Amino acid sequence: NGRVESLRLPKLADADDHSPRPVTAVSASPRARLRTPEDAPPPANLAQLRHQVISHPERLLDVVRAMPVMENGKFGGYRVFPAGNPRLFAQMGLHAGDVVTAVNGVSLDSPADGMKILGKLKTSDQVSITFTRNGQQHTQVLQMQDPNK
């Protein structure tokens, strides 16, 4: 239901002790789970998002919630929705429910492609996002450079 939950499992204190221990589920707010070790503030613009995502890819979850899409038994990209920062999601030119199929020319036909995309993000000041909306393919080019430079 859109909530992030974690399950804390007990550590075995003694290998011979097999008695059950209580296990509790802890619900974490999106902000709590996405903090980086540096406890950086949420990104205010695309340049800050790029900078944070380079070292901490999980920061992308501050902006985008993605669900894998399967088409004819094949991976077809990610259906995206705004997460904790809907204003930044809108700056990306995306709408809730769009299916992102490629980023910077890397086709999202496998979940492992995300690492290739992150590698390109480190060296590029712009990001090209190809997505499908209402059956039509679109491409959005995002300028990710720092406006102060």
Side-chain angles (χ1 to χ4, degrees):
N1 292 334
R3 277 191 337 203
V4 175
E5 298 182 52
S6 64
L7 179 64
R8 297 181 189 256
L9 299 175
K11 293 183 180 179
L12 293 177
D14 184 352
D16 295 332
D17 179 15
H18 296 289
S19 61
R21 289 183 174 81
V23 177
T24 59
V26 177
S27 180
S29 73
R31 291 248 182 258
R33 74 180 162 89
L34 297 176
R35 285 289 171 240
T36 64
E38 293 81 22
D39 203 27
N45 58 46
L46 293 175
Q48 287 179 1
L49 177 64
R50 174 185 172 260
H51 178 73
Q52 290 179 7
V53 168
I54 287 171
S55 26
H56 301 285
E58 69 274 11
R59 291 310 296 254
L60 188 56
L61 299 175
D62 280 341
V63 179
V64 177
R65 181 172 52 96
M67 298 171 48
V69 172
M70 298 299 286
E71 294 175 350
N72 300 322
K74 290 186 170 186
F75 188 78
Y78 290 96
R79 187 171 311 278
V80 296
F81 299 91
N85 191 333
R87 184 184 57 77
L88 205 50
F89 181 86
Q91 284 182 20
M92 297 173 95
L94 297 171
H95 293 174
D98 287 349
V99 177
V100 177
T101 57
V103 177
N104 280 358
V106 177
S107 179
L108 294 175
D109 50 17
S110 149
D113 292 330
M115 295 311 293
K116 293 180 203 171
I117 292 167
L118 288 174
K120 287 187 173 192
L121 186 61
K122 290 179 182 181
T123 60
S124 178
D125 284 338
Q126 67 180 26
V127 174
S128 172
I129 300 175
T130 303
F131 58 93
T132 303
R133 177 184 300 152
N134 299 325
Q136 299 287 324
Q137 185 170 317
H138 303 273
T139 299
Q140 177 76 23
V141 178
L142 307 175
Q143 299 303 318
M144 306 287 282
Q145 69 268 20
D146 188 347
N148 299 326
K149 286 186 178 181

